[in-house]
Amino acid sequence: MATRTETRFSLDGVGRVPLAVAFIAVQALAFVAAYTAGRPTWYAFFMIGSTAVTAYVLHGDSFVVAAATLGSILMVALGLPLFLFVARQQPSIIVEKALNPDVHQMLYLGVYGPLLAAIVSLVFGVPLAHLLSKGFAGQQLVESLVDLPLVVPHSVAGILILFGFGKGGAFPNVTVLGSMVGMVLAMTFVSAPYAVNATREAFESINDRLEYASRIHGASRWDTFRRVTAPLAVRGMVTGGVLAWARAVSEFGAVAVVAYSVSFFYPPAGGEVTTQHAPVFVYGTYLQGGLAESGAVAFILLGVSALIFLIIRYLTSDSTTTGGVV
């Protein structure tokens, strides 16, 4: 009986790097050509087709080809708007907005406010995550309450904050509506699930024997958590904090309801200024200045957020967090 021999490329980790670079370069050239011709749809079909061909050449397996093709369709839906957004920006407007003091204040608030929300989420979320990782009676109810903000519409989240902490709420002497406190509360409400869930998964991945060994050698629960559990889960904590920060940066509905404009101390001005959270500011710019001006502000915000995210990812990578030991 004749047998069919399949030919596949076998690439090690080193060989995959130039191949990936070449694939990205081809994609970039194809996008530039399609955009220059005014036919971005061509690039969408090219990316899907080239991905399928590449998967077939490297693997020759129908399942891999099908998975890569279907996955590339999603990548087109996610990546093409981003590519077109960057390509259609006007440098002159970007420079104008980058030099605008109002944009500087928005960027400061857009980083500072979410940072406070992420810190609050971690300070109170880490202990809760540790308890959830160990299990207790009524855990499902607590987990449902933690995950509730994930399914609540954003504007509804803002209304809940006003009912819970606004006038007649839990803290009647604290001003929530239109204040920095209200903005941080709204951000914490929608971002806390990310901090809690990421940290809980980190705690659950720790071998119970390590904690048990610490306890039988005389360490208290506090010492065990401080010297064993927390160091092993620190990457999960950082990941949860980054996710919470990113979620707070992108929040619009809850912040627009609770604190459309807020006053805060702005160090470069040496006093208080009033501005809006980044998504609210972009929306206001869109209503007043149109797509071009709001696109420029969004481009600047996207660049700053991406830079901060990449720096944090680098600082929390395996080699930096473990000192190259692991």
Side-chain angles (χ1 to χ4, degrees), residues 158-234:
I159 297 297
L160 292 177
I161 292 297
L162 291 179
F163 269 94
F165 303 105
K167 185 176 180 181
F171 305 103
N173 296 326
V174 177
T175 302
V176 173
L177 184 63
S179 69
M180 189 71 178
V181 173
M183 189 182 78
V184 173
L185 282 173
M187 291 178 176
T188 303
F189 183 87
V190 299
S191 63
Y194 296 90
V196 174
N197 290 332
T199 306
R200 182 188 62 182
E201 292 177 0
F203 285 139
E204 290 175 345
S205 66
I206 299 174
N207 193 330
D208 293 336
R209 295 179 180 179
L210 298 176
E211 295 179 328
Y212 177 74
S214 174
R215 294 299 306 279
I216 65 174
H217 282 82
S220 65
R221 287 193 174 184
W222 285 103
D223 289 336
T224 298
F225 181 83
R226 180 169 60 89
R227 297 185 177 184
V228 179
T229 309
L232 292 174
V234 67

Side-chain angles (χ1 to χ4, degrees), residues 243-287:
L243 291 175
W245 176 83
R247 180 63 185 85
V249 168
S250 64
E251 178 55 31
F252 172 79
V255 174
V257 171
V258 177
Y260 190 89
S261 296
V262 295
S263 298
F264 60 97
F265 179 78
Y266 183 55
E272 281 197 350
V273 297
T274 302
T275 189
Q276 297 86 33
H277 181 42
V280 180
F281 186 92
V282 172
Y283 177 69
T285 304
Y286 171 72
L287 294 179

Side-chain angles (χ1 to χ4, degrees), residues 9-25:
F9 287 94
S10 178
L11 297 174
D12 56 12
V14 177
R16 292 180 184 273
V17 174
L19 180 63
V21 173
F23 183 81
I24 294 174

Side-chain angles (χ1 to χ4, degrees), residues 84-227:
L84 290 174
F85 167 74
V86 174
R88 296 175 64 182
Q89 293 304 309
Q90 301 178 34
S92 59
I93 300 181
I94 293 177
V95 173
E96 176 187 348
K97 293 299 180 182
L99 299 176
N100 190 333
D102 292 338
V103 176
H104 299 167
Q105 296 171 12
M106 176 272 294
L107 290 175
Y108 180 86
L109 180 62
V111 174
Y112 173 65
L115 179 61
L116 293 179
I119 292 175
V120 173
S121 298
L122 286 176
V123 168
F124 299 102
V126 168
L128 178 58
H130 186 261
L131 291 176
L132 291 173
S133 69
K134 300 303 180 183
F136 54 86
Q139 177 172 341
Q140 292 184 347
L141 177 61
V142 175
E143 289 178 344
S144 300
L145 187 60
V146 169
D147 292 336
L148 181 63
L150 298 177
V151 298
V152 170
H154 299 185
S155 56
V156 174
I159 297 297
L160 292 177
I161 292 297
L162 291 179
F163 269 94
F165 303 105
K167 185 176 180 181
F171 305 103
N173 296 326
V174 177
T175 302
V176 173
L177 184 63
S179 69
M180 189 71 178
V181 173
M183 189 182 78
V184 173
L185 282 173
M187 291 178 176
T188 303
F189 183 87
V190 299
S191 63
Y194 296 90
V196 174
N197 290 332
T199 306
R200 182 188 62 182
E201 292 177 0
F203 285 139
E204 290 175 345
S205 66
I206 299 174
N207 193 330
D208 293 336
R209 295 179 180 179
L210 298 176
E211 295 179 328
Y212 177 74
S214 174
R215 294 299 306 279
I216 65 174
H217 282 82
S220 65
R221 287 193 174 184
W222 285 103
D223 289 336
T224 298
F225 181 83
R226 180 169 60 89
R227 297 185 177 184

